[in-house]
Amino acid sequence: MQPVKVGLLGLGTVGGGTVSVLTRNADEIARRAGRGIQITLAAAKEYNADAIIGLDQIENITDDPFSVVDDPDVKIIIELIGGYSPAKELVLKAIENGKHVITANKALIAIHGNEIFKAAQEKGVIVAFEAAVAGGIPIIKAVREGLAANQIEWIAGIINGTGNFILTEMRDKGRDFEDVLNEAQSLGYAEADPTFDVEGIDAAHKLTILSSIAFGMPLQFDKTYIEGITKIEQQDVLYAEELGYRIKHVGISRKVDNGIEQRVHPTLIPERRLIANVDGVMNAVLIKSDAVGPTLYYGAGAGAEPTASAVVADIVDVVRALTTDPENRVPHLAFQHDALSDINILPIEEIETAYYLRMHAIDRPGVVADITKILGDSKISIEAILQKEPVGNASCIPVIFLTQCIKEKEMNTAIIKIEKLDAIDGKVTRIRMETFG
Ligand code: HSE
C-alpha cells in the first residue's frame, strides 16, 4: 500500500522532533499503522536543518503554509506553528479541504476548539490533539478511552513543565526566578511568550481541555480561574517545606454538587504524595475516578521528542482510522457530540479548599489570639500554626497558619478582617492547599 502523505506546518522544536522520530522509527511506526507515513510537504519560515534527522526526505519545504493545506495529495495536516492566527485559519481550511488534522496547539484548542470540532464533525474528519496536554504523556487517550467506564470525580495536574522547573530550582537550589526561566527558554520548554507559562495561562489551556473530556462539556477557557507562580516567594517555599508540604502549580478540575471547579494556581501538597515529588520539567496528572480509584500519569511535559511522541501517536491513530466510518470514531471531547452538557463552572469564590496563610504580626502578647478569634468566628478551623523568630531587630514576626477546608469567599472575608488588625503589617499571603487524599 502507498504511504500516507502528510503535510507539516512548522519545523521548530516539536516539528523538528516529529520529523526525526518519524524517520528514526519509520519501520516500527509503519508496522503499527499498517502503512508507511511520509511527510511530503512542510511549511516553515526558518529551521535548523542540522538538528533534524530526515529533513532531506521531505519533497518540498515552502514558506507558504496555505499551499500545504491546499495540496490535493496530502491526507493529514500536522499543525505545529502554535498561536491563534494563522493556525486557526489553516486548521479550518484543512478541514474544509477534507483533511484530518493533528495539532499540539493547546491555546487554539482551548479557545477555538468548539468551533474547530464542529467543523470537523460536519466534514467527517478527525482533529487529534494528544500533544496539546502534558507533552509526551498519553493523557488524552487515557481519559477519553482508558477511563471510559468511570465517572471522573477530579483531576489534578502539574501540566506546565516550565513552571514546575522554576519552582523546583527555587526550592532545591535557591535559584533566582528569572535565571531559571531563561534556562527553560533556551532548552525549548517555555512558550514563545513565557508569560503564558509563569502566569498560568498555558496550564489553564491544558486544564480546560482535560476538564471538558473528563466531564463531557464544551470547552470553557474563559471560566477557568488562573493564577501563576510569579508571586511565590522563597520564604513560602521554605515554610511550606517545614510544615511538610511542597508548593506546586496545579490545575484542578473537580465535580461538586453544584457544578465544576476549574482552576489553576500554586497549591500546597503534602510532601508524602507522589504528585508533590514531580520535579523539574516533568508533568503528572492524578485522576480520581469512581471505578478504578486514583490513577497517576507521569512523564515529560515538554521538549522536542517527548511532544513528538504524542504527535506521532496521533498520526498512527488517524492512519488506522482512515477507512473507518466517521460516526464510529472516538468523539473529540470523549462524549458524543450531541451528548455534551453545559455544566456550570463555579466562580472561584464558590470553591472549597484548605489554605496556607502567612502574615507579618507585631511581636506582642494577644496578637495570635486576635487572629485565631477572627478565624474561629468565621468557622475556619486551624490545622497548624508556625511562628518564626524576628529577623534582626525587626518588630514583626512571620506567622503561618494552615487551615482546614472552607469556602473561598468566607476565607476572603476573614483575610480582610485580619489585615485590618493594627498588629498586622501589610497583606496576608494566601496559598490554596489540597491533600488529594
Ligand atoms: N511551555 C509548555 C510547558 C510546553 O512548559 O509545559 C509544553 O506544553
Side-chain angles (χ1 to χ4, degrees), residues 124-380:
V125 296
I126 301 169
V127 175
F129 51 94
E130 182 64 70
V133 182
I137 307 175
I139 193 66
I140 302 294
K141 193 174 261 297
V143 178
R144 225 164 39 172
E145 299 174 52
L147 296 177
N150 290 261
Q151 289 195 44
I152 292 176
E153 295 168 14
W154 51 261
I155 293 186
I158 295 175
I159 43 183
N160 182 265
T162 302
N164 201 40
F165 183 52
I166 293 172
L167 287 177
T168 304
E169 293 288 302
M170 279 173 77
R171 189 196 72 220
D172 289 354
K173 302 185 187 149
R175 280 179 71 190
D176 180 60
F177 189 101
E178 285 301 327
D179 175 38
V180 191
L181 177 57
N182 288 339
E183 189 183 339
Q185 283 179 285
S186 68
L187 292 170
Y189 300 149
E191 295 303 298
D193 177 355
T195 57
F196 273 42
D197 294 297
V198 297
E199 295 296 355
I201 300 160
D202 176 75
H205 288 144
K206 295 166 181 168
L207 183 73
T208 300
I209 298 170
L210 281 180
S211 201
S212 286
I213 62 171
F215 300 116
M217 56 187 189
L219 297 147
Q220 297 171 76
F221 174 75
D222 54 338
K223 299 210 180 120
T224 307
Y225 174 78
I226 309 173
E227 204 179 292
I229 58 168
T230 49
K231 297 198 178 73
I232 295 294
E233 293 183 30
Q234 190 81 31
Q235 57 176 324
D236 295 311
V237 174
L238 298 177
Y239 295 147
E241 194 93 351
E242 209 170 312
L243 288 157
Y245 291 79
R246 298 263 163 92
I247 301 180
K248 293 287 176 190
H249 190 251
V250 186
I252 299 168
S253 175
R254 177 183 280 134
K255 193 170 197 176
V256 291
D257 287 346
N258 50 346
I260 303 283
E261 297 180 0
Q262 193 165 294
R263 49 190 168 105
V264 300
H265 50 70
T267 308
L268 266 78
I269 309 174
E271 68 188 2
R272 64 181 182 279
R273 294 269 176 249
L274 279 174
I275 195 168
N277 292 281
V278 171
D279 287 334
V281 75
M282 302 307 272
N283 279 195
V285 182
L286 176 60
I287 304 182
K288 176 72 178 12
S289 322
D290 71 336
V292 67
T295 50
L296 179 65
Y297 309 83
Y298 170 85
E305 292 214 357
T307 313
S309 165
V311 171
V312 174
D314 272 348
I315 302 176
V316 172
D317 263 1
V318 170
V319 171
R320 284 171 176 158
L322 282 175
T323 52
T324 59
D325 174 358
E327 294 306 314
N328 293 328
R329 293 182 184 144
V330 180
H332 292 114
L333 288 176
F335 290 66
Q336 295 299 329
H337 299 266
D338 56 3
L340 296 179
S341 70
D342 265 322
I343 317 173
N344 179 34
I345 294 185
L346 298 175
I348 192 70
E349 295 73 26
E350 295 300 321
I351 67 129
E352 274 190 36
T353 185
Y355 294 87
Y356 162 102
L357 306 176
R358 174 177 56 81
M359 54 207 79
H360 271 105
I362 293 176
D363 191 11
R364 70 168 184 235
V367 173
V368 170
D370 290 343
I371 302 165
T372 54
K373 177 158 187 351
I374 293 175
L375 293 173
D377 289 349
S378 310
K379 308 224 166 357
I380 298 169

